[in-house]
Amino acid sequence: MSPSTARSRRITPALVLTERMFMHWRLHPMVPLQSVLLPTVLLLTYYLVVSKSMVQLTGSDNLATLVPMCIVAGTMMGTLGAGFHIPGERDSGLLSRFWVMPVHRGSFLAGTLLAEAVQTLVASFLLMLVGMGLGLRFDGAWPAVIPFLLLPVLVTLVFTAIVMAVAVRSNSAPLLTLLGGIAIGMAFCTGGVAPLEHFPEWIQPIARAQPLAPVIDAMRALAEGEPAGRPLLTALAWLVGLGAVFGPIAVRGYRSAAQSGGAG
C-alpha cells in the first residue's frame, strides 16, 4: 500500500464522520447555535446596558476584551452541548461499532475535532462581525484577524479533548455540568466583564493565572494593534500543555468505552 493510499484511508473516514456531525447538528440545531446565539445575546445585552457605565468608570467601553470573551465562552458552550450526546452514543454501542469498523480507529476522534474546529471558526467569525457592528475595530494590520480567529479554534480543540475525556466515562452528565460551570466561570474571569483591577483583590491573581486569561489578552492586543507576542506565547503554552495532558486521557477513555461496549 502506497503512503498516499494509507493517508487517504485515514483521512476519508474522518471526513465522513465530520459530515455525520454536521448532519446531526442539522437535526439538533440548538447545539451549534449555542456557540452563536447565546454569546451574541450576552454581547448585545452587556454592551447596550453596561457600556456607558464602563466608559465612565474606565474611559473605555471594553469592547476589545468583551468580544473575545464572548467568542471563547460561546465556542465552549457549543462544545459542551455536543459533549452531552457522547454518553448516549457510548451506551447505545455506537462507539463500539465505530471501533470494529474497517477504518482507522482514531477517525471518530479526528472527525469530532474537525467538526468542532469548523463550527468554532464560523461562530467566531459571525461574533466578530457583530462586534464590528458595535464598534470593534482592528487598529493594527488586518492580518491580525487570522490569529484572532484561530485562537478560539485552538481553545475548542483542547476543550473538546477535555469534554471527551469526561463524556466517555460512566455517569458523566454531572461532571459535564460541573465542567461547563468551571469553563464559563473562567471565561468571565478574564477582564471581559470588567478590567481585572476592578475585581476583588483575592480573585485577581487567580484570574490572571488561569488558562483563558492570556487567550483573551492576546485577542484584545491583536484587535487593538498592540504587541501580542507575550500573551500569545503564554496562551499557546497553556493550550499545548493542557492538550498534552487531556488528549491521551480522551484517547484512552474512548478506547475503553468502545472496547467494552459501554462506559470506560
Side-chain angles (χ1 to χ4, degrees):
M1 183 185 300
S2 66
S4 60
T5 302
R7 285 194 299 270
S8 177
R9 292 187 63 178
R10 289 194 297 266
I11 294 173
T12 301
L15 294 177
V16 171
L17 289 169
T18 301
E19 183 181 4
R20 166 188 168 271
M21 287 202 66
F22 290 151
M23 294 177 65
H24 176 78
W25 288 339
R26 286 179 59 187
L27 297 174
H28 303 87
M30 282 309 299
V31 173
L33 286 178
Q34 283 183 96
S35 61
V36 178
L37 289 182
L38 293 180
T40 298
V41 171
L42 172 65
L43 175 59
L44 292 174
T45 301
Y46 180 87
Y47 186 77
L48 295 176
V49 174
V50 184
S51 62
K52 291 183 179 180
S53 299
M54 189 59 62
V55 171
Q56 295 176 355
L57 181 65
T58 67
S60 171
D61 59 11
N62 209 36
L63 189 61
T65 306
L66 178 63
V67 173
M69 184 203 74
C70 291
I71 289 175
V72 171
T75 57
M76 291 194 299
M77 289 177 190
T79 300
L80 193 68
F84 275 100
H85 291 276
I86 295 177
E89 296 178 341
R90 176 203 63 210
D91 296 337
S92 68
L94 183 61
L95 298 185
S96 297
R97 291 196 290 274
F98 283 142
W99 186 259
V100 300
M101 289 175 64
V103 296
H104 192 275
R105 286 176 172 174
S107 298
F108 177 80
L109 295 175
T112 300
L113 290 172
L114 182 57
E116 292 291 346
V118 172
Q119 173 190 285
T120 295
L121 187 61
V122 173
S124 300
F125 180 73
L126 293 176
L127 280 166
M128 183 188 71
L129 293 182
V130 174
M132 294 178 68
L134 295 175
L136 177 68
R137 295 293 180 267
F138 282 82
D139 295 328
W142 269 102
V145 172
I146 297 174
F148 183 90
L149 293 176
L150 289 182
L151 262 178
V153 174
L154 293 177
V155 172
T156 294
L157 292 176
V158 174
F159 191 59
T160 299
I162 298 174
V163 167
M164 294 193 69
V166 173
V168 295
R169 301 183 64 84
S170 60
N171 300 318
S172 57
L175 291 177
L176 286 173
T177 302
L178 177 62
L179 176 63
I182 294 173
I184 300 304
M186 290 170 59
F188 276 78
C189 288
T190 55
V193 176
L196 289 180
E197 55 267 25
H198 294 281
F199 279 53
E201 290 187 4
W202 64 270
I203 204 173
Q204 290 183 25
I206 301 174
R208 290 190 171 93
Q210 55 107 345
L212 294 182
V215 173
I216 304 300
D217 196 31
M219 294 176 70
R220 178 200 57 77
L222 289 166
E224 294 186 337
E226 298 179 359
R230 182 173 181 177
L232 187 58
L233 290 175
T234 305
L236 292 176
W238 263 114
L239 295 175
V240 170
L242 290 172
V245 171
F246 287 98
I249 295 175
V251 171
R252 287 196 298 269
Y254 166 66
R255 182 189 298 120
S256 176
Q259 288 179 338
S260 65

